[in-house]
Amino acid sequence: MTAIDPTAHLTAEQIEELGRELDAIRDEVIAGRGEKDAAYIRKVISAQRKLELVSRGVLLFSFFPPAWLLGTAGLSVAKIMDNMEIGHNVLHGQWDWMRDPKIHSTTWEWDHVSPSEQWKHSHNELHHTYTNVIGKDNDLGYGIMRVDEDQRWHPFHLGQPLWNFLNACFFEYGIAAYDLELGRNLSKRRRKDPEFRARARAVGRKIRKQVLKDYVIHPLLSGPSFLTTLAATFTANLVRNLWSHSVIMCGHFPEGVQVFERRSIKGETRGQWYLRQMMGSANISGSRAMHFMTGNLSHQIEHHLFPDLPSNRYAEVAVKVRALFEKYELEYVTGPLPKQVFSAWRKVFRLSLPNKKPTARTPDREQELVAA
Amino acid sequence: MVTTPLLPSDYLDLVSPLRAGADLRGRIEAVHPETGDAATVVIRPGRGWRGHTAGQYVRVGVDVEGVRLWRAYSITSPADRPDGRVTITVKAIPGGRVSNHLVRRARPGTLIQLDQPAGDFVLPRARPAKVLYLTAGSGITPVMGMLRDTELDDVVVVHCAPRPQDVIFRSELRGMAADGKVRLTEVHTDTDGMLDIARLGELVPDWAERETWACGPAGLLDAAERHWSAHGVEGRLHTERFRPGIVVAGDGGEVTFSATGKRVDADGATPLLDVGEEAGVLMPSGCRMGICFGCVSPLRAGAVRDLRTGEITEAEPGVLIQTCVSAAAGDCDIER
Ligand code: FES
């Protein structure tokens, strides 16, 4: 938590006015949703499926190195598309308005070891409601890292650069464990909880299916290319994991992003909720291709303000949102991917050590936080 | 297993959406105007189509401005059309999103969703000797399906439309009359006034002896039902109603939670999630502020208002609403 509250200059009325202006942006997009948007998501889904099919086809000949390279690259991109621009956004209900039961948050299942149902709970509900609230939003360090000075240091945190790296490599498993709240639930008493066990079984089933497809069936189908296909799918999963982990780290970890105290969200108004989303998220700047490959999570700020607006609209929304940041003299945290990733990693390293000096926390500051 | 988490059909749909075993769909092949506001849509159904009986309707799911909307339309083609195509004939009703889309904007090549044909507005296997078809407006459509499909010996058609040019299938009907296949009476309500059922005997003296199929606006059908039963011949009357009750969006209303059978009154400002929970219904929920989609529930009947935008959502098959940001807009039924 920074020593100075960057929203201290706003009055309560201003914050509510800001909320109304954001609502207006949202209403405008909703009123304008239509055929073009529907065509967009259908096109992306069909492109993803074709790319995956073709890539897996090419991998049948992956004993031939150029085919391996091509197939692996294609499969990596297909998996990234599935998880980011399609899965994440469909599961947010961004396309529910189309009333197409096949592209709907209640029916979608993604190429990921965490079952959609569980992920929706931990992500849509907990993370998006309690964004960056210490002790409420488990996305803050995924329960294994310290990402803010205000979190208590523990010798365990010395290893967090390593935890973070391992988490990046096996990110989908990390997410599955996280959705299960594995850390907390492995305690003796909770382990027996039937509800937890049912959820753990669901994850087990999903893992089995995913593993069977990627590491058994597809390689077997490849016959002489068994080993190279195995290596290719492993690589594609690794690439997808590293990529999505990097993108997601950029959303809330870079320097300049605020975290909040549990107390500060008591009785939060709509305007204050919006403000917290604005201050708790960071964007990635870049080309259209870049935005697409991040599933438009490069527009993390806009996504957190309006998690259910179709992702293809975030770019146009961003222009208006940014103007509001300027109008209300707030810092719009954004930067190119390498810079944001570096910034997030630097924080992970820095906070693996105890704070240099105790943070200056005055009673005033507490007051401000409550007011915010 | 090969395609998890998707199904093989998700991939096959990319290349062959009308194949056997796929979800039932159809492809629009042509749209022919019938009158100023009605058109016939020629559809090639997918391989899973089981065929229809003349007089039946089909529910079609059409994407209008990106939103899939379902409506039922009578099938107007005969059951044994050699090319396997089916037609529906649609009259654009003012403000009707699907009908206007189909009549004015639908393009050949478009995929639509289909249900299997349904409805018992059909001729019995033992063909009746004398038949009366009593129709008004687009009520002629299922009857046209029957006329084209089955030739009967003694058929009278009484059809009402505002003006001659509003009569759907006008030239075909007149052609049938000229060929002596039917006896046709057109009632042009703009000039002749509404058809008074009590005086039906003047047009069709032996109406009570005829097996009658009637289709049209609720007013006509209600009057017909009264008339037939007043004469003790209600068994001869078969009716088809197109649009069951029109939803009137109000402010608050009686909410039915149909899975649990609970009914409560709700105002127009309380989220249905709260209404349900207060009534002791187990409601799924999450953020309670409209962002997580953890509370979506089927809206079976009635209408709800989005508390954020004021937007009204009316019940249709497959419509799910976020109960945490929706309030009753009139009576409604949530499947919980
Ligand atoms: S409870 Fe989260 S959207 Fe309704």
Side-chain angles (χ1 to χ4, degrees):
Chain A
M1 206 166 288
T2 38
I4 301 156
D5 178 6
T7 64
H9 61 285
L10 297 178
T11 64
E13 291 80 60
Q14 279 176 317
I15 295 174
E16 292 322 300
E17 178 57 24
L18 168 66
R20 278 190 292 277
E21 289 184 71
L22 286 166
D23 277 337
I25 294 176
R26 184 188 137 82
D27 293 350
E28 206 177 308
V29 174
I30 288 190
R33 279 186 316 207
E35 218 161 285
K36 267 198 201 146
D37 304 283
Y40 170 80
I41 191 64
R42 292 216 165 90
K43 202 171 86 194
V44 172
I45 290 172
S46 120
Q48 190 277 337
R49 287 178 183 168
K50 287 176 188 156
L51 178 62
E52 183 180 346
L53 274 183
V54 169
S55 305
R56 288 191 186 268
V58 170
L59 286 175
L60 301 181
F61 309 96
S62 53
F63 56 82
F64 180 52
W68 188 90
L69 216 61
L70 192 69
T72 308
L75 190 57
S76 307
V77 172
K79 280 182 176 265
I80 288 172
M81 285 168 74
D82 173 272
N83 279 192
M84 310 295 277
E85 182 65 347
I86 305 172
H88 169 265
N89 295 331
V90 170
L91 292 178
H92 259 292
Q94 291 183 4
W95 303 98
D96 282 13
W97 58 273
M98 288 164 48
R99 298 185 183 173
D100 181 342
K102 299 215 160 177
I103 310 178
H104 200 278
S105 63
T106 54
T107 58
W108 194 265
E109 196 49 81
W110 57 346
D111 186 353
H112 197 283
V113 296
S114 180
S116 293
E117 219 31 65
Q118 299 195 18
W119 181 82
K120 273 194 292 186
H121 169 73
S122 61
H123 179 85
N124 290 6
E125 187 182 332
L126 300 181
H127 168 56
H128 273 271
T129 314
Y130 302 112
T131 312
N132 288 22
V133 177
I134 296 176
K136 283 279 220 177
D137 177 6
N138 294 327
D139 272 36
L140 274 181
Y142 303 111
I144 54 170
M145 288 192 296
R146 180 173 171 256
V147 291
D148 190 88
E149 268 84 359
D150 281 1
Q151 286 171 304
R152 189 172 305 154
W153 182 84
H154 188 275
F156 173 80
H157 291 124
L158 282 172
Q160 74 178 21
L162 179 65
W163 315 148
N164 198 36
F165 177 70
L166 289 175
N167 189 30
C169 294
F170 302 101
F171 194 45
E172 58 173 329
Y173 292 90
I175 295 283
Y178 161 76
D179 291 347
L180 280 172
E181 297 187 80
L182 211 52
R184 187 185 318 172
N185 281 323
L186 279 186
S187 71
K188 257 215 182 95
R189 204 162 43 82
R190 295 216 190 191
R191 209 163 37 197
K192 295 228 176 70
D193 175 38
E195 198 239 307
F196 167 71
R197 296 182 72 118
R199 290 197 296 130
R201 267 200 306 278
V203 173
R205 270 197 304 277
K206 187 84 193 283
I207 293 180
R208 212 159 41 238
K209 281 192 192 163
Q210 291 290 99
V211 165
L212 212 59
K213 170 182 75 160
D214 275 354
Y215 299 130
V216 181
I217 296 181
H218 186 205
L220 278 178
L221 285 175
S222 309
S225 298
F226 179 88
L227 282 178
T228 46
T229 300
L230 192 71
T233 29
F234 182 79
T235 309
N237 279 330
L238 184 69
V239 169
R240 185 263 317 267
N241 287 347
L242 288 172
W243 175 257
S244 42
H245 179 266
S246 300
V247 168
I248 283 151
M249 280 241 297
C250 293
H252 302 288
F253 296 170
E255 300 289 352
V257 171
Q258 309 292 308
V259 300
F260 305 88
E261 304 239 337
R262 217 188 255 256
R263 289 173 47 190
S264 73
I265 61 164
K266 266 239 176 82
E268 199 176 46
T269 64
R270 182 144 182 89
Q272 288 168 335
W273 183 83
Y274 268 139
L275 188 61
R276 176 157 58 84
Q277 304 303 327
M278 292 167 83
M279 303 320 295
S281 314
N283 280 6
I284 304 167
S285 57
S287 63
R288 281 182 57 175
M290 173 77 197
H291 292 310
F292 178 77
M293 289 307 285
T294 63
N296 277 297
L297 289 180
S298 48
H299 296 299
Q300 187 77 235
I301 298 174
E302 289 73 22
H303 172 58
H304 261 268
L305 289 169
F306 313 117
D308 59 346
L309 291 188
S311 57
N312 61 325
R313 294 300 194 88
Y314 285 145
E316 67 184 66
V317 165
V319 180
K320 298 177 193 167
V321 167
R322 196 159 183 168
L324 284 183
F325 269 84
E326 265 159 39
K327 177 171 169 194
Y328 290 91
E329 294 172 29
L330 297 166
E331 191 197 352
Y332 189 81
V333 181
T334 182
L337 184 76
K339 177 183 158 229
Q340 300 295 80
V341 171
F342 179 75
S343 171
W345 270 101
R346 194 173 52 192
K347 205 175 193 179
V348 169
F349 272 93
R350 178 161 51 82
L351 293 167
S352 66
L353 301 171
N355 296 344
K356 284 216 186 77
K357 46 181 173 319
T359 40
R361 295 278 295 284
T362 61
D364 274 7
R365 168 82 187 120
E366 292 276 335
Q367 288 295 311
E368 275 167 17
L369 277 170
V370 176
Chain B
M1 272 300 147
V2 193
T3 57
T4 187
L6 299 177
L7 299 169
S9 64
D10 291 323
Y11 293 98
L12 289 172
D13 282 353
L14 294 175
V15 283
S16 176
L18 299 184
R19 70 183 193 287
D23 286 356
L24 191 55
R25 304 184 182 90
R27 198 184 288 285
I28 295 181
E29 294 202 328
V31 181
H32 304 301
E34 294 284 353
T35 63
D37 59 0
T40 290
V41 184
V42 182
I43 300 164
R44 177 155 70 98
R47 300 283 288 278
W49 178 255
R50 288 204 286 265
H52 74 284
T53 307
Q56 285 191 311
Y57 63 87
V58 59
R59 290 196 338 117
V60 298
V62 185
D63 292 337
V64 182
E65 281 159 28
V67 182
R68 180 156 307 161
L69 300 172
W70 287 85
R71 297 286 185 275
Y73 293 107
S74 295
I75 301 173
T76 48
S77 50
D80 54 354
R81 200 175 140 130
D83 63 3
R85 309 301 193 256
V86 291
T87 63
I88 53 174
T89 302
V90 181
K91 183 173 181 322
I93 47 178
R97 292 174 72 188
V98 179
S99 60
N100 278 287
H101 180 87
L102 284 173
V103 171
R104 307 189 204 286
R105 284 190 300 275
R107 293 285 161 264
T110 310
L111 273 186
I112 57 174
Q113 315 295 313
L114 296 178
D115 264 359
Q116 295 293 350
D120 45 16
F121 191 69
V122 296
L123 292 170
R125 195 156 298 168
R127 302 300 184 213
K130 294 168 109 188
V131 167
L132 165 62
Y133 293 126
L134 175 62
T135 61
S138 55
I140 186 68
T141 53
V143 165
M144 197 60 186
M146 295 176 173
L147 285 170
R148 284 171 173 167
D149 187 79
T150 316
E151 276 195 34
L152 299 167
D153 297 337
D154 183 355
V155 179
V156 175
V157 178
V158 176
H159 177 62
C160 311
R163 299 166 304 172
Q165 63 266 40
D166 297 320
V167 175
I168 306 174
F169 311 121
R170 186 170 160 218
S171 57
E172 193 173 345
L173 282 172
R174 291 189 178 173
M176 286 179 177
D179 292 349
K181 290 187 181 142
V182 303
R183 230 173 71 220
L184 174 69
T185 305
E186 286 182 36
V187 179
H188 301 137
T189 53
D190 271 6
T191 45
D192 310 343
M194 287 301 214
L195 173 71
D196 180 1
I197 290 279
R199 298 174 60 184
L200 181 66
E202 292 170 18
L203 297 173
V204 192
D206 58 352
W207 67 271
E209 291 159 33
R210 292 179 175 269
E211 204 69 22
T212 301
W213 277 265
C215 184
L220 174 78
L221 300 184
D222 291 345
E225 273 165 8
R226 277 194 304 271
H227 189 61
W228 259 256
S229 58
H231 289 78
V233 285
E234 61 271 26
R236 298 239 167 94
L237 179 66
H238 313 271
T239 57
E240 173 94 317
R241 286 170 192 269
F242 278 152
R243 288 198 289 163
I246 292 172
V247 179
V248 195
D251 206 16
E254 188 188 50
V255 185
T256 306
F257 294 94
S258 50
T260 43
K262 290 246 163 62
R263 283 160 185 271
V264 273
D265 282 326
D267 60 33
T270 312
L272 290 164
L273 176 58
D274 296 347
V275 172
E277 284 177 344
E278 250 153 62
V281 179
L282 187 63
M283 304 284 287
S285 70
C287 65
R288 312 186 76 93
M289 58 186 295
I291 59 167
C292 76
F293 286 66
C295 63
V296 291
S297 303
L299 175 64
R300 292 250 317 243
V304 300
R305 179 177 283 106
D306 188 313
L307 290 165
R308 300 164 300 178
T309 58
E311 203 187 341
I312 299 283
T313 302
E314 287 176 16
E316 273 181 52
V319 167
L320 300 168
I321 53 154
Q322 288 170 278
T323 58
C324 71
V325 288
S326 303
D331 294 349
C332 56
D333 180 341
I334 313 294
E335 196 181 321
R336 284 292 171 201

Short mmCIF file of all heavy atoms in Angstrom, two decimals, chain B residues 273 285-295 322-325, ligand 1:
data_model
loop_
_atom_site.label_atom_id
_atom_site.label_comp_id
_atom_site.label_asym_id
_atom_site.label_seq_id
_atom_site.Cartn_x
_atom_site.Cartn_y
_atom_site.Cartn_z
N LEU B 273 -33.55 -12.27 -6.34
CA LEU B 273 -32.73 -13.10 -5.47
C LEU B 273 -33.19 -12.94 -4.02
O LEU B 273 -33.39 -13.91 -3.29
CB LEU B 273 -31.25 -12.72 -5.63
CG LEU B 273 -30.25 -13.42 -4.73
CD1 LEU B 273 -30.30 -14.92 -4.91
CD2 LEU B 273 -28.84 -12.92 -5.02
N SER B 285 -26.33 -17.98 -5.75
CA SER B 285 -25.93 -16.57 -5.76
C SER B 285 -24.43 -16.46 -5.66
O SER B 285 -23.74 -17.44 -5.43
CB SER B 285 -26.57 -15.83 -4.59
OG SER B 285 -25.97 -16.27 -3.38
N GLY B 286 -23.94 -15.27 -5.84
CA GLY B 286 -22.51 -15.03 -5.74
C GLY B 286 -22.28 -13.62 -5.29
O GLY B 286 -22.55 -13.28 -4.14
N CYS B 287 -21.87 -12.78 -6.22
CA CYS B 287 -21.48 -11.42 -5.87
C CYS B 287 -22.66 -10.54 -5.42
O CYS B 287 -22.48 -9.56 -4.75
CB CYS B 287 -20.81 -10.76 -7.06
SG CYS B 287 -21.95 -10.54 -8.45
N ARG B 288 -23.84 -10.87 -5.84
CA ARG B 288 -25.05 -10.11 -5.55
C ARG B 288 -25.00 -8.70 -6.10
O ARG B 288 -25.70 -7.80 -5.62
CB ARG B 288 -25.32 -10.06 -4.04
CG ARG B 288 -25.23 -11.41 -3.37
CD ARG B 288 -25.64 -11.32 -1.93
NE ARG B 288 -27.07 -11.23 -1.80
CZ ARG B 288 -27.86 -12.29 -1.63
NH1 ARG B 288 -27.35 -13.50 -1.54
NH2 ARG B 288 -29.16 -12.13 -1.55
N MET B 289 -24.17 -8.50 -7.09
CA MET B 289 -24.15 -7.16 -7.69
C MET B 289 -24.07 -7.21 -9.20
O MET B 289 -23.72 -6.23 -9.84
CB MET B 289 -23.01 -6.34 -7.09
CG MET B 289 -21.65 -6.97 -7.27
SD MET B 289 -20.34 -6.08 -6.42
CE MET B 289 -20.35 -4.56 -7.32
N GLY B 290 -24.37 -8.33 -9.77
CA GLY B 290 -24.49 -8.37 -11.23
C GLY B 290 -23.22 -8.64 -12.00
O GLY B 290 -23.19 -8.48 -13.21
N ILE B 291 -22.14 -9.06 -11.33
CA ILE B 291 -20.91 -9.25 -12.10
C ILE B 291 -20.47 -10.69 -12.24
O ILE B 291 -19.69 -11.00 -13.14
CB ILE B 291 -19.73 -8.43 -11.53
CG1 ILE B 291 -19.46 -8.83 -10.09
CG2 ILE B 291 -19.98 -6.95 -11.67
CD1 ILE B 291 -18.15 -8.30 -9.58
N CYS B 292 -20.94 -11.60 -11.40
CA CYS B 292 -20.34 -12.94 -11.45
C CYS B 292 -21.16 -13.97 -12.21
O CYS B 292 -20.67 -15.04 -12.53
CB CYS B 292 -20.08 -13.44 -10.03
SG CYS B 292 -21.57 -14.00 -9.18
N PHE B 293 -22.39 -13.68 -12.51
CA PHE B 293 -23.27 -14.61 -13.22
C PHE B 293 -23.44 -15.92 -12.45
O PHE B 293 -23.66 -16.96 -13.02
CB PHE B 293 -22.77 -14.86 -14.65
CG PHE B 293 -23.02 -13.68 -15.55
CD1 PHE B 293 -22.37 -12.47 -15.34
CD2 PHE B 293 -23.95 -13.76 -16.58
CE1 PHE B 293 -22.62 -11.37 -16.13
CE2 PHE B 293 -24.20 -12.66 -17.38
CZ PHE B 293 -23.53 -11.47 -17.17
N GLY B 294 -23.34 -15.83 -11.14
CA GLY B 294 -23.52 -17.01 -10.32
C GLY B 294 -24.97 -17.22 -9.94
O GLY B 294 -25.31 -18.19 -9.27
N CYS B 295 -25.85 -16.33 -10.36
CA CYS B 295 -27.24 -16.40 -9.90
C CYS B 295 -28.21 -16.63 -11.04
O CYS B 295 -29.41 -16.52 -10.85
CB CYS B 295 -27.59 -15.10 -9.19
SG CYS B 295 -27.50 -13.67 -10.28
N GLN B 322 -30.24 -12.79 -14.45
CA GLN B 322 -29.45 -12.63 -13.23
C GLN B 322 -30.42 -12.16 -12.15
O GLN B 322 -30.86 -11.02 -12.17
CB GLN B 322 -28.36 -11.58 -13.44
CG GLN B 322 -27.23 -12.02 -14.34
CD GLN B 322 -26.34 -10.84 -14.69
OE1 GLN B 322 -26.65 -10.08 -15.59
NE2 GLN B 322 -25.23 -10.69 -13.97
N THR B 323 -30.72 -13.05 -11.21
CA THR B 323 -31.76 -12.69 -10.25
C THR B 323 -31.31 -11.59 -9.29
O THR B 323 -32.14 -10.92 -8.71
CB THR B 323 -32.19 -13.91 -9.40
OG1 THR B 323 -31.03 -14.43 -8.75
CG2 THR B 323 -32.80 -14.99 -10.27
N CYS B 324 -30.01 -11.38 -9.15
CA CYS B 324 -29.56 -10.39 -8.18
C CYS B 324 -29.73 -8.96 -8.68
O CYS B 324 -29.66 -8.03 -7.89
CB CYS B 324 -28.10 -10.62 -7.79
SG CYS B 324 -26.94 -10.23 -9.10
N VAL B 325 -29.93 -8.77 -9.96
CA VAL B 325 -30.12 -7.42 -10.49
C VAL B 325 -31.41 -7.32 -11.30
O VAL B 325 -31.57 -6.43 -12.11
CB VAL B 325 -28.92 -6.96 -11.35
CG1 VAL B 325 -27.72 -6.66 -10.48
CG2 VAL B 325 -28.59 -7.99 -12.42
S1 FES C 1 -24.96 -12.99 -7.82
FE1 FES C 1 -23.31 -12.37 -9.07
S2 FES C 1 -24.33 -11.81 -10.90
FE2 FES C 1 -25.95 -12.23 -9.56
#
